[in-house]
Amino acid sequence: MSFFDKDGNSRHDWNIFLDNFPTIGVFKLPHDSNKAYYDKNVASMLHIEGDNMSKDSFYALLDSLNENQIEGYKNIYMYTAGGETSYIKIKIVYDTDYMLGFVQDVTQIMEARSHKDNAKEYDMLTGMYTRDYFIKRVRSMLSEISGTAQCCMAAIHINGIERVDSELNYDKTALCVATAANAIKRFASDNVIIGVKSYKDFLVFFWQMTKSEISDIMKKMYDAVSRCKLTDEFGNTIETRSEAYTITAGYCWYPSQAATIDMMINYADFALFRAKALGSIKREFSAEEYVAECNSYSDSKLLTGLIDENDFSYCFQPIVSTVDGSVYAYEALMRPKNSSPLEILRIAREHGRLYDIERLTFENVLEIISANRARFGEKKIFINSIPDSMITEYDFNRLCEKYGNIMPQLVIEFTEQADLTGDKIASLRHLFKSKGCMIAIDDYGSGYSNTAAVLSLQPDVIKVDRSLIADINTNVKKQHFLTGIIDFARLNNIKVLAEGVETYDEMSVTIRRGVDYIQGFYTAKPQKEIVPDIPDAVAEQMRMLNMCRPEIKQARDYIVHDGCEEHLDIEKMLSDRYTGVIVESAVAHLYANGCDVMSFVIKTAEGSKSHIILENANIKGALRQCIRLGENSDTTLEIKGTDLLSYDGISVPGSSKLLITGNGNLYIDSYRNDGCCIGSSYNDTFGEITIDINGNVELQANGDHGICIGGGVSPCETPIKLLNGNIKMSSTGKDCIGAGSCDGSCGVETGNATIDISCSGDNALAVGSLCGYTDIKADGTTFLIRSLGERAGCIGSLAALDGSTPSMINIKNSTLDLLLKARCGSAVGCRKTACDTVISDSDITVHIEGDAVAGIGSAEGKGSLLIKNSDIKSSSSSGIYSLEIGFMNKGCIINSSTINSHLINDPDYHEPSRLMQQN
C-alpha cells in the first residue's frame, strides 16, 4: 500500500483509513528531497501545521521527542505541545529511497497503566487485585465483621493454562490468561473480592454470603471459564491443542475453620491440593485430611512453586577428552532452589509432574545455551531425559523451531534403567537423530538388559555408571568388565564415557583401559559458570596417561577380492587389528589351529559366489552371527578339522544359498536371544541351506525362539536339504525348531544322513513348520527325535491353516525312532491342518504321551495316510482323545506292513482301541 502520491500528498484510500483510526499516522522523508511529508493524523498528534516541512525542522522535532523516551518502554515518548501532554509511539522503517515513520497516540494506554502501577492495587495482565492488595482489602473487611457472620475463602486453579503456556509464545499466552481471568473477574462485587496468586491461580473471598449463594457463583465461574473462546487482540481465534478450560476450587470457612486470613489462604490452598489429587471440581477443607496429608501438601507447594515460577537453575560439568584433556562437552545438571534434584524428582513422580520438569529442563537449558553461545562455542551439551516422561515429539519440534541451530550440539541421555526397547523409544531416537542430536545411554551397568538396550537404541555414547568406576584401580573384575564394555563399544562405533571419576588412580585405570571421555570431580566439578578448561596439571596427567593406553580396536575388515585364493591365519589377522574378513567371488582358507575363542566375523559380499574353507576355528560372533552371507550370494562352506561358532551361527538371507560340505566337524552354539544356528531369526526370511558333509554337525539353539536350521519364512520351495552327515540338533525356548520355519511354507528334504533332534518348549517342532504348509521328503534317513512341549511335533506342522492344499510327508527307506510328549500334537503328521502322508519301506518306532496326540496321523486334523511295506512299533501313554495311527473319524490304507508285529493289509484301517472307545 502506498501512503503518499508522487507530490507528497496523502492518497485517498489512506485518508479513509485515517478518518477511522485517528490515533495512527505516517510520515515520509524521501532521500532525494529536502522535505518531510506527513498525513493529517501526524499533524494533529504532533500539533504541527500543513502536510510537510523541511527535513531539518522535522529532524529537530524527532530529536526533541527522543529526549523524552519513557524508561522501560521501547519507542514510546512523552510529548508536550499546545499545553497538552501526550504519549507517542514511533516506529521507523528504512528503505533505499526513503525513511518511513509510523506514529501512534498511546496516551490512554499509558495513563491506564500509570494509574494501576501507582496504585499498586491491580495486576497488569488480569486487571484483578494483586495478592498483597487482596490481602489488605480482605483484612480490612474482616475487621468490620461482627456477631456470627460467616465468610468463605476459595483458591481457584484454571486447568489447561499449563498446556497453552507450553504451546504459545508469551504474548499469546498472556491473552489466553487474560481471557480466562476475565471470565472469573466479572463475578467480582462488593461481596466477592478476587485477587491473583499466579497466572493460573486466583483467590476469591466471599463476604457474608450463604453456602448456596457461594456454591451457585462457583458453578457459574466454572461454566464461564469452560465457555471461554481464546482470541487475539484482533478477534482471531487462537488455536491450541488444549481442550476447554475448567476450574478446580478448594475452600474453607471463616471463622469456623480458619481464624485469620493467612490460615484461610493456607487451608483453601490445601483443599485445592486435595481436590486436584482426587479429581474433584471443588472440595471443602478438612482438618483430618490436613493432619494426614500435611507432608504431601508441603511437598506439593514446594514443587508447584518451583514449576510455576520456573525457579530452576543449572550447573554445567565439563566432560573431558582423554586424548588431550580438552573439554569436549558439558552436562547440564538441575539445581532446584531449596531442595536437591533427587528430592524434587521424587515429589514430582508422586504428584504426576515429571513431564513438567522434563519440558522445563529442555527449555531452560536451550535458552541458557542460546544466551551464552560464545562461552559454549560448538561443544556438545548433555541433557538428562526422564524415564517414562520423555519429551514429546510435539514439544521437541516446537523447541527445534526456536533453537534449530543449537540442536546438533545436544546429546540426549536415556537412563539405562528405563525400558529402551519399545516403539516409543525408537520413534524418539529417530526424531532426535533427524534433528542432528546425539544419543547417550546413562548409568550403563547399573540396571538391566544392557546389551538389549544398546542394540535397540544404537547410542553414540555409553556412560559407564559410577558404581563400576569407584575403586576400579583395586578391583580386577571391574577392570575386566570395563574392558568388555569398551571392546563391545568400539566394534559398534560407540564412544565410552567414565562417570564419577574422583581420584587420579580411577582416572589412570579408565584411560589405560581405553575410555574416550572422563567426567567427575577429579577433572572438574559442576559450576554455574561455564568453565572453558580443566586445570592444566590434570590435563597434563591425562595427556601422559594417553601415551600409555592400548591401541583401540576399531571395526576393520580384510577383503578377499574377486578371483583370488588366499590362506588366512585368523590369529595373525587379529594381531594385525582386523576384526573380520569379507570374501568376494573368491576362495578363502581360514584357519586358526584350535586356539582359544576369538571375536571375529566372516562375511561374503553381496552377489558373490564364494568358497570358504574353515579349519580348526573357534569363533564368537560380535553382537550378531559369526558368518554372514551377503544378499544374492552363493556360498560353499567347507569344514575341516573341528570348527566352533558361538553366540550366534550362520546368517543365510532369503535370496542366498549355503552349502556345508567337507569331512570335518562343525559345532554351533547359538545363545543369542531369538538367534539361529543356520538361517535367520524367527521373524526374518532365510534362503536355501544344504548340508552334505562327511563329518559331524552339532547345533544348539537356546532363546525365546530357538532355531537350529531355518528361520521365519523362506521364499524357496525346498529351502532345507540335509543330504549327508551325522547331524545333531538341540533346541529350547518358547518356540523352538530343529529344521524348518516359524511362519509360512517350508520344504525339507533329507537323504543318507543320521539326524538326531531334541526340542523342548511351549511350541516344539523337530522337522517342518510351526505355522504353515510343509512338504517333507525323507529317503534313506535315520531319525532319532525327542519332542516335548505344550504343543509339539516330530515331523509335520503344529498350527491350523486356511486353504485347500494339504501338507505332504513322504518317508521311504528310512528308520525313525520318535518320542512325543505334549498336550497336543503329532509325531508324524500335522496337528490341525490337512496332511497327506506316505510311509514306505521304513521302520518306525513311536511312543506318544499327552491329551490329544497322535503317533502317525492326527488326533485333531484330517488328511490321508498310506503305509506300505513298513514295520511300525507304536506305544502310547495318552488320553482318550489320542490315537497311535490314523485319524479321529477316518481310516487309513495299510499294505503289507506290520503294526506291533501284526501283519496288516487293510484299505480302511481303524485303530482297534479307537473303535472300542467309540463303541
Side-chain angles (χ1 to χ4, degrees):
M1 178 180 182
S2 177
F3 303 98
F4 301 94
D5 60 25
K6 61 181 180 179
D7 298 321
N9 299 312
S10 297
R11 296 176 60 91
H12 176 68
D13 50 355
W14 180 240
N15 280 322
I16 295 174
F17 178 88
L18 295 175
D19 291 336
N20 286 277
F21 296 92
T23 61
I24 297 176
V26 178
F27 62 82
K28 180 179 180 181
L29 280 72
H31 298 327
D32 58 356
S33 172
N34 292 324
K35 286 190 175 183
Y37 300 94
Y38 42 86
D39 59 36
K40 59 184 178 181
N41 285 359
V42 171
S44 175
M45 287 184 279
L46 299 182
H47 296 271
I48 54 180
E49 300 293 332
D51 58 7
N52 67 82
M53 67 172 62
S54 69
K55 272 187 180 180
D56 291 340
S57 298
F58 199 85
Y59 277 131
L61 178 61
L62 294 179
D63 288 341
S64 67
L65 278 171
N66 196 49
E67 293 174 359
N68 294 285
Q69 183 172 355
I70 304 301
E71 185 177 355
Y73 292 87
K74 188 176 181 181
N75 300 328
I76 296 180
Y77 309 88
M78 185 171 68
Y79 181 65
T80 302
E84 297 180 9
T85 297
S86 58
Y87 294 88
I88 302 297
K89 183 175 182 178
I90 298 179
K91 175 67 175 178
I92 303 295
V93 177
Y94 294 93
D95 193 80
T96 55
D97 299 321
Y98 55 84
M99 180 181 80
L100 199 65
F102 296 86
V103 181
Q104 181 182 7
D105 188 331
V106 293
T107 303
Q108 290 185 355
I109 297 174
M110 294 301 296
E111 286 180 348
R113 289 182 178 179
S114 176
H115 172 74
K116 292 178 181 178
D117 289 343
N118 292 335
K120 296 184 179 179
E121 296 178 3
Y122 298 96
D123 174 67
M124 291 182 61
L125 177 60
T126 64
M128 295 179 181
Y129 289 134
T130 63
R131 187 179 189 277
D132 290 342
Y133 190 79
F134 172 84
I135 292 173
K136 180 180 178 181
R137 177 78 186 276
V138 172
R139 184 173 283 119
S140 174
M141 296 174 73
L142 290 176
S143 66
E144 300 174 6
I145 294 177
S146 61
T148 59
Q150 181 170 259
C151 302
C152 177
M153 178 68 74
I156 292 178
H157 175 83
I158 299 181
N159 304 303
I161 293 293
E162 299 95 334
R163 295 190 295 273
V164 170
D165 190 31
S166 68
E167 292 181 51
L168 305 177
N169 59 36
Y170 173 81
D171 291 336
K172 287 187 176 180
T173 300
L175 286 168
C176 293
V177 171
T179 301
N182 284 335
I184 294 175
K185 187 173 64 175
R186 68 188 183 89
F187 293 96
S189 67
D190 292 341
N191 296 86
V192 181
I193 312 303
I194 305 176
V196 177
K197 278 185 64 184
S198 70
Y199 68 97
K200 59 182 178 293
D201 290 288
F202 305 89
L203 293 170
V204 182
F205 180 66
F206 299 94
W207 188 60
Q208 295 184 325
M209 299 178 68
T210 65
K211 289 187 177 182
S212 61
E213 289 174 331
I214 294 171
S215 178
D216 182 59
I217 290 176
M218 285 189 181
K219 183 181 183 304
K220 289 179 178 178
M221 284 183 176
Y222 183 94
D223 294 340
V225 171
S226 300
R227 292 193 301 267
C228 278
K229 183 179 180 182
L230 305 183
T231 60
D232 61 19
E233 60 268 46
F234 300 108
N236 300 314
T237 300
I238 298 175
E239 299 293 340
T240 72
R241 294 190 304 157
S242 301
E243 298 176 358
Y245 296 151
T246 60
I247 64 172
T248 302
Y251 58 95
C252 69
W253 300 98
Y254 172 90
S256 58
Q257 292 178 328
T260 68
I261 188 170
D262 292 335
M263 289 176 65
M264 279 193 287
I265 293 174
N266 187 42
Y267 289 173
D269 276 340
F270 174 78
L272 174 62
F273 159 71
R274 291 296 295 155
K276 289 195 287 187
L278 298 173
S280 304
I281 294 176
K282 62 180 180 178
R283 190 168 184 84
E284 183 177 341
F285 171 76
S286 165
E288 292 79 8
E289 288 183 343
Y290 187 76
V291 172
E293 300 289 338
C294 188
N295 290 336
S296 180
Y297 173 51
S298 298
D299 288 345
S300 176
K301 288 184 68 175
L302 171 64
L303 179 66
T304 301
L306 282 171
I307 293 175
D308 288 352
E309 302 301 326
N310 194 4
D311 205 0
F312 295 96
S313 61
Y314 299 85
C315 289
F316 292 86
Q317 185 174 27
I319 294 171
V320 185
S321 168
T322 57
V323 175
D324 56 8
S326 63
V327 175
Y328 164 75
Y330 299 92
E331 180 175 3
L333 301 169
M334 181 178 69
R335 292 295 183 262
K337 187 177 181 181
N338 300 324
S339 189
S340 69
L342 290 178
E343 180 67 7
I344 292 301
L345 290 174
R346 177 192 66 79
I347 296 172
R349 184 173 290 105
E350 291 176 356
H351 292 273
R353 302 206 61 181
L354 279 174
Y355 187 75
D356 291 311
I357 295 179
E358 171 86 349
R359 176 178 54 80
L360 286 173
T361 296
F362 273 84
E363 291 177 355
N364 293 340
V365 171
L366 285 167
E367 181 58 33
I368 292 172
I369 300 170
S370 178
N372 296 274
R373 293 305 302 274
R375 293 186 178 183
F376 285 106
E378 299 301 318
K379 293 180 173 62
K380 300 292 183 182
I381 310 296
F382 284 63
I383 296 182
N384 284 282
S385 188
I386 300 175
D388 305 322
S389 297
M390 295 176 182
I391 192 162
T392 63
E393 181 175 349
Y394 176 86
D395 281 335
F396 189 78
N397 284 329
R398 180 175 55 82
L399 292 172
C400 289
E401 291 178 4
K402 186 175 181 180
Y403 303 106
N405 59 333
I406 299 175
M407 289 306 185
Q409 291 182 243
L410 293 191
V411 182
I412 300 171
E413 298 185 29
F414 290 68
T415 178
E416 191 266 341
Q417 293 177 352
D419 179 10
L420 301 180
T421 58
D423 293 339
K424 179 181 178 182
I425 297 296
S427 176
L428 283 175
R429 179 193 178 278
H430 176 74
L431 174 66
F432 296 156
K433 287 286 188 180
S434 70
K435 305 301 182 182
C437 303
M438 294 173 62
I439 302 294
I441 288 185
D442 195 14
D443 303 329
Y444 189 80
S446 65
Y448 56 90
S449 302
N450 296 333
T451 302
V454 173
L455 291 175
S456 175
L457 196 58
Q458 302 175 40
D460 301 286
V461 181
I462 289 175
K463 298 185 72 177
V464 181
D465 188 67
R466 163 69 185 163
S467 62
L468 296 177
I469 302 301
D471 301 320
I472 193 171
N473 52 297
T474 62
N475 191 317
V476 176
K477 291 182 179 179
K478 285 186 177 183
Q479 294 176 27
H480 290 165
F481 191 70
L482 178 62
T483 299
I485 293 173
I486 292 169
D487 287 344
F488 172 90
R490 293 296 172 264
L491 290 169
N492 292 277
N493 298 315
I494 300 172
K495 300 296 184 182
V496 179
L497 186 157
E499 286 189 286
V501 175
E502 296 186 355
T503 67
Y504 171 82
D505 291 333
E506 291 172 354
M507 183 179 75
S508 175
V509 171
T510 54
I511 291 179
R512 289 175 184 272
R513 290 281 170 171
V515 300
D516 300 287
Y517 307 115
I518 294 284
Q519 180 182 359
F521 281 13
Y522 187 78
T523 52
K525 295 181 179 180
Q527 297 184 43
K528 289 189 176 181
E529 294 297 323
I530 310 304
V531 179
D533 301 294
I534 65 172
D536 291 340
V538 178
E540 181 60 26
Q541 289 174 349
M542 298 181 77
R543 287 189 286 269
M544 294 300 294
L545 289 168
N546 185 65
M547 295 174 64
C548 304
R549 70 192 294 177
E551 290 185 56
I552 302 300
K553 184 188 293 185
Q554 301 286 349
R556 182 181 177 213
D557 291 321
Y558 183 89
I559 301 176
V560 181
H561 293 286
D562 288 340
C564 296
E565 181 174 348
E566 295 196 38
H567 291 251
L568 302 170
D569 185 337
I570 297 177
E571 288 181 279
K572 186 176 186 303
M573 294 178 72
L574 286 169
S575 67
D576 291 339
R577 315 306 294 174
Y578 287 105
T579 58
V581 61
I582 298 175
V583 183
E584 296 181 344
S585 294
V587 178
H589 188 160
L590 299 161
Y591 58 92
N593 297 319
C595 63
D596 292 337
V597 63
M598 301 169 292
S599 182
F600 195 77
V601 180
I602 301 169
K603 292 178 278 190
T604 65
E606 183 176 340
S608 65
K609 186 170 185 178
S610 55
H611 186 161
I612 298 172
I613 303 167
L614 196 62
E615 184 173 2
N616 295 322
N618 187 352
I619 298 173
K620 178 182 178 181
L623 295 182
R624 295 175 58 195
Q625 297 84 359
C626 299
I627 301 176
R628 307 172 195 170
L629 272 58
E631 294 286 349
N632 298 300
S633 64
D634 188 346
T635 303
T636 298
L637 177 62
E638 183 178 347
I639 303 299
K640 288 190 174 183
T642 298
D643 297 303
L644 289 82
L645 308 179
S646 59
Y647 183 67
D648 210 355
I650 304 173
S651 169
V652 184
S655 59
S656 300
K657 297 180 181 180
L658 171 67
L659 169 63
I660 298 178
T661 186
N663 55 14
N665 303 309
L666 173 63
Y667 298 90
I668 300 178
D669 182 6
S670 174
Y671 51 86
R672 180 175 73 89
N673 201 33
D674 298 336
C676 176
C677 294
I678 306 173
S680 72
S681 65
Y682 77 100
N683 55 0
D684 290 326
T685 59
F686 65 98
E688 187 175 315
I689 302 166
T690 303
I691 297 179
D692 189 359
I693 191 171
N694 294 316
N696 300 306
V697 175
E698 185 170 334
L699 311 175
Q700 182 168 316
N702 299 310
D704 284 350
H705 306 273
I707 303 172
C708 291
I709 301 175
V713 64
S714 178
C716 307
E717 185 174 341
T718 307
I720 300 174
K721 297 178 181 179
L722 309 178
L723 304 181
N724 197 27
N726 296 315
I727 304 169
K728 185 174 182 179
M729 294 175 258
S730 175
S731 176
T732 60
K734 179 181 178 182
D735 300 317
C736 55
I737 298 174
S741 65
C742 279
D743 188 13
S745 302
C746 183
V748 180
E749 179 182 336
T750 66
N752 188 27
T754 298
I755 299 174
D756 182 344
I757 305 177
S758 295
C759 291
S760 177
D762 290 351
N763 300 292
L765 182 65
V767 179
S769 175
L770 279 181
C771 181
Y773 169 88
T774 189
D775 185 1
I776 299 170
K777 298 181 179 69
D779 187 359
T781 309
T782 299
F783 287 102
L784 176 61
I785 298 177
R786 304 290 181 264
S787 188
L788 294 81
E790 172 74 9
R791 292 166 292 275
C794 295
I795 299 174
S797 68
L798 291 186
L801 291 175
D802 295 329
S804 59
T805 302
S807 290
M808 305 291 294
I809 300 175
N810 192 332
I811 299 171
K812 61 181 180 180
N813 303 315
S814 298
T815 300
L816 288 76
D817 187 344
L818 311 177
L819 171 64
L820 174 68
K821 293 184 179 181
R823 183 180 63 81
C824 54
S826 297
V828 178
C830 299
R831 178 184 155 228
K832 281 196 171 183
T833 189
C835 180
D836 295 340
T837 302
V838 177
I839 299 173
S840 61
D841 303 302
S842 297
D843 295 331
I844 300 178
T845 300
V846 57
H847 177 79
I848 58 173
E849 297 181 14
D851 294 336
V853 293
I856 303 173
S858 177
E860 300 177 79
K862 58 184 180 179
S864 66
L865 172 61
L866 169 63
I867 302 175
K868 59 182 180 180
N869 302 322
S870 297
D871 182 21
I872 311 296
K873 295 181 178 64
S874 175
S875 61
S876 172
S877 298
S878 55
I880 62 171
Y881 299 105
S882 301
L883 72 162
E884 296 177 19
I885 298 174
F887 302 92
M888 290 290 291
N889 298 303
K890 181 181 179 181
C892 57
I893 302 172
I894 300 180
N895 293 332
S896 303
S897 298
T898 59
I899 297 178
N900 292 332
S901 301
H902 296 286
L903 181 63
I904 305 293
N905 276 288
D906 190 343
D908 189 20
Y909 174 81
H910 291 269
E911 182 178 315
S913 60
R914 175 57 54 187
L915 289 173
M916 288 187 291
Q917 292 164 5
Q918 289 178 340
N919 294 330

